[in-house]
Amino acid sequence: SKRHRRGSSPPSTSSGNGPPAASKGTPVKCKKRWRQNKEAEARILAKTLANHSLGLVEIPADGHCLFSAIADQLRRYPFPTNTGPPAPLPAGDAPPLSSPRGAPP
């Protein structure tokens, strides 16, 4: 039997038009292998995240998903905000910057 070069198509054993006999089923095998790799990757990622008390969250892909992801994180882990008056500067620190031109002092 003749050997074919790596990277080239194997010789066709079928007669007529259509894919070579050796390539039948190849797309299904590739899809199956891809699905198995994806599932294995998901299991490893889930285990790694669980070790750090983290997890995956589905965010709808609506064009604003980056902002939705940040908003989701802020809802889950509240970020402390300072809603009161600004704290006074300690003695000896530089005075605050001047107001922009045209802005009231």
Side-chain angles (χ1 to χ4, degrees), residues 9 12 41 43 47 54 72 85 93 95 101 103-104:
S9 299
S12 176
E41 182 179 314
R43 282 192 305 272
K47 184 178 178 181
L54 299 171
D72 179 73
D93 277 0
R101 189 180 315 163

Side-chain angles (χ1 to χ4, degrees), residues 6-104:
R6 176 177 250 171
S8 65
S9 299
S12 176
T13 57
S14 63
S15 59
N17 297 333
S23 69
K24 287 184 180 178
T26 302
V28 174
K29 287 181 183 179
C30 289
K31 286 180 183 179
K32 184 177 179 181
R33 189 177 315 121
W34 178 81
R35 186 173 46 248
Q36 289 170 343
N37 289 344
K38 185 177 176 183
E39 290 168 356
E41 182 179 314
R43 282 192 305 272
I44 292 168
L45 180 60
K47 184 178 178 181
T48 303
L49 290 172
N51 289 341
H52 297 283
S53 300
L54 299 171
L56 291 176
V57 176
E58 290 290 327
I59 302 292
D62 60 357
H64 301 286
C65 48
L66 174 65
F67 300 106
S68 297
I70 293 170
D72 179 73
Q73 289 181 20
L74 291 174
R75 278 193 299 273
R76 291 171 189 273
Y77 310 102
F79 184 76
T81 57
N82 185 2
T83 57
L89 292 173
D93 277 0
L97 297 175
S98 60
S99 299
R101 189 180 315 163

